Amino acid sequence: MSTQIAGPVHIAGQQVLSSSAVQMHNLGEIGFSNDGRAFKYVKNGAVAMVQGKLYQAPAEVTNHQNLTPVAAAIGAVEVTTTLGATAAAANQYAGGLLVVTVTPGEGYAYKIRSHAAIGSGGTGTFVLEDGLFVALTTSSRIDLVAAPTSGVIVNPTTASSAPVGAAVYPIAASEYGWLQIKGQASLLADGAITVGTNVIASNATAGAVEAGADAADLQANVGVALSGIATTEYGPVMLNLF
């Protein structure tokens, strides 16, 4: 099969504190600085990044979920389906997953290599990196999930995917660069945060973090405060988004 796993990289092709119109690493590639911090290579979305803010994977598209595939045999590397009332740009899902949610074939997730542009309500074919392990029928259902590092957005107050990292540099719109995913970093605080306590994604200020006070807080965990942080200020957080 074509899916391979390799070790992490040293940051060399593109420096951490930079923005590039040219892609210099594979999206999702992880690199380490010599002090143990970890970074993930991403493509920014349509709005320039703000350093010190939390970023999320592209928002889910509900009209690209629970889709009915055309029947496809074991080993097939193409799956055809009809979208709901939202168009898909060419290769919007390249590097993402085609997830089989209803049997036959449920539980398998296949990496998407490419696809053409598909109009709202249109039918399109998704080319996979690996062939199907279980045949799909019209009883199967599939979800399309974008690559989490392609087109990242500032973490919204209402989660529409998962956090992927903290911005350490103002990467330009639609350009490439690194988000920090582990180690000491600076993040915007929504509300006062106490040193040594858990911090979670804010549900009141986009791109901020807040204190994880109790079981009622359902936002994603981000890390632990390295010092007390006053509200609306930027402060040190030990990130754990690996």
Side-chain angles (χ1 to χ4, degrees):
M1 297 299 177
S2 61
T3 300
Q4 298 179 349
I5 297 174
V9 299
H10 294 291
I11 296 170
Q14 182 180 339
Q15 296 303 307
V16 171
L17 302 180
S18 67
S19 177
S20 175
V22 178
Q23 183 176 344
M24 299 184 186
H25 291 268
N26 295 320
L27 294 181
E29 202 162 28
I30 294 173
F32 292 89
S33 60
N34 59 12
D35 61 0
R37 289 175 296 159
F39 301 83
K40 183 171 287 188
Y41 198 70
V42 303
K43 182 179 182 181
N44 191 19
V47 179
M49 282 190 187
V50 178
Q51 64 274 18
K53 287 195 173 183
L54 185 67
Y55 280 76
Q56 181 201 265
E60 67 170 352
V61 181
T62 55
N63 281 326
H64 297 171
Q65 299 175 352
N66 198 38
L67 305 177
T68 302
V70 173
I74 292 173
V77 294
E78 294 185 350
V79 174
T80 299
T81 190
T82 299
L83 303 183
T86 303
N91 290 325
Q92 179 175 333
Y93 290 100
L97 296 177
L98 184 152
V99 179
V100 185
T101 60
V102 175
T103 195
E106 65 182 355
Y108 281 102
Y110 301 95
K111 187 175 180 180
I112 298 169
R113 176 179 294 175
S114 64
H115 63 89
I118 308 168
S120 172
T123 298
T125 297
F126 295 83
V127 181
L128 309 179
E129 293 282 0
D130 300 303
L132 297 176
F133 289 98
V134 177
L136 300 181
T137 74
T138 54
S139 294
S140 304
R141 294 294 181 269
I142 59 175
D143 286 355
L144 302 174
V145 183
T149 51
S150 180
V152 300
I153 61 174
V154 69
N155 200 76
T157 55
T158 299
S160 54
S161 189
V164 291
V168 294
Y169 187 82
I171 298 170
S174 301
E175 290 198 354
Y176 300 89
W178 299 92
L179 287 176
Q180 189 174 344
I181 60 173
K182 193 171 182 66
Q184 54 185 349
S186 175
L187 281 170
L188 173 63
D190 167 32
I193 298 175
T194 302
V195 62
T197 59
N198 290 333
V199 295
I200 61 177
S202 171
N203 61 1
T205 301
V209 293
E210 63 182 44
D214 54 46
D217 291 321
L218 300 179
Q219 300 96 276
N221 289 318
V222 174
V224 177
L226 286 166
S227 73
I229 311 172
T231 186
T232 73
E233 293 187 0
Y234 291 77
V237 172
M238 183 63 77
L239 284 178
N240 190 19
L241 291 171
F242 204 89

